[in-house]
Amino acid sequence: MDRTTIEDAVFPDCPIRNILTRLCDKWSLLVIYTLNKASKETVRFKELQREIPDISQKMLTVTLRTLEEDGYVTRTVYPEVPPRVEYALTPRTHSLLPHINALIKWALENKDAIIKDRKRNCKK
């Protein structure tokens, strides 16, 4: 799947759907959250991979490229051998963090009830 050309089949010109589809996929918010919780401003690829052990190298690369393309993440390559690449959140993403943190807070406050509902509904 080409993550850079996601279009809604019914509303292909809807910018909100396009933005939310790319931002709210399986990995993007987790990568942003992980970059934010790092104790330093920039994070190397392998550090990210260690922090999110269930993401494949390919999927992390694709996710970072998409986040960079949309202006959520910056990528800095240092001309060293081997090359050093660091990722950081942009000011745009810092303005998004309060909303992500509110969503995480809501999820933590409601997770027990949601899990209980899931179990109850699975028994039906």
Side-chain angles (χ1 to χ4, degrees):
M1 178 173 115
D2 181 5
R3 289 175 36 97
T4 61
T5 56
I6 294 172
E7 290 184 0
D8 186 277
V10 180
F11 303 102
D13 296 324
C14 180
I16 300 304
R17 288 174 184 248
N18 187 276
I19 289 167
L20 290 177
T21 299
R22 288 171 65 130
L23 185 60
C24 299
D25 68 359
K26 183 174 180 179
W27 299 111
S28 293
L29 287 177
L30 185 57
V31 169
I32 289 171
Y33 172 78
T34 304
L35 282 167
N36 181 53
K37 78 172 189 156
S39 58
K40 49 193 171 188
E41 270 192 46
T42 60
V43 179
R44 295 181 72 174
F45 184 90
K46 284 293 184 188
E47 292 174 74
L48 273 173
Q49 201 171 24
R50 276 193 295 275
E51 289 294 315
I52 312 171
D54 51 335
I55 191 171
S56 69
Q57 181 174 339
K58 179 181 179 180
M59 201 64 233
L60 180 56
T61 299
V62 169
T63 301
L64 286 165
R65 284 184 187 153
T66 302
L67 291 171
E68 181 184 11
E69 183 177 301
D70 286 357
Y72 298 111
V73 169
T74 59
R75 178 178 183 262
T76 306
V77 180
Y78 296 92
E80 301 173 352
V81 177
R84 178 170 48 115
V85 181
E86 294 181 340
Y87 296 90
L89 299 177
T90 64
R92 174 180 298 143
T93 309
H94 284 286
S95 73
L96 178 63
L97 289 175
H99 306 286
I100 293 172
N101 291 333
L103 179 61
I104 291 168
K105 182 177 183 243
W106 178 89
L108 289 171
E109 290 169 353
N110 289 279
K111 72 176 173 133
D112 292 336
I114 292 169
I115 291 170
K116 182 179 172 185
D117 288 342
R118 284 181 188 170
K119 287 179 181 176
R120 183 180 67 237
N121 289 321
C122 285
K123 293 178 184 177
K124 290 182 181 179

